[in-house]
Amino acid sequence: MPAFRSRGLGTDVVRVLCNYGFAVRGLHRLQVETLADNAAMIRAATQAGFAQEGTLRRSAWVNGHFADEVILGLLASEWNPN
């Protein structure tokens, strides 16, 4: 919803999920896969500490055409819970 955009809520959600994955589940690595044109998700993940690892060119079928996907990753050793 447009009324909730630009409030940092996406970054907060990503951070909460990281806390769950690393602190609660004890995972070693988390990965985000999103469409390359989803700037808000890429920004939220990057602000939460994720690093862009690569692009899967034309790997997603979206509305009748192929689109690129971006892969972002975060290791437990890189995670900063603050």
Side-chain angles (χ1 to χ4, degrees):
M1 293 181 63
F4 294 99
R5 291 189 182 150
S6 300
R7 292 186 178 183
L9 298 175
T11 301
D12 288 344
V13 169
V14 172
R15 287 184 175 136
V16 167
L17 291 172
C18 288
N19 184 66
Y20 176 75
F22 292 134
V24 177
R25 301 292 298 172
L27 298 176
H28 168 71
R29 181 180 189 285
L30 297 175
Q31 179 170 308
V32 171
E33 298 178 24
T34 188
L35 295 175
D37 66 355
N38 190 347
M41 183 66 235
I42 294 168
R43 184 173 49 257
T46 302
Q47 289 176 345
F50 282 78
Q52 188 167 333
E53 297 179 334
T55 300
L56 301 174
R57 299 180 307 144
R58 297 183 182 176
S59 63
W61 183 254
V62 180
N63 297 325
H65 69 278
F66 286 102
D68 293 350
E69 289 182 280
V70 173
I71 307 298
L72 300 107
L74 179 63
L75 301 177
S77 60
E78 299 168 336
W79 178 57
N80 180 3
N82 298 324

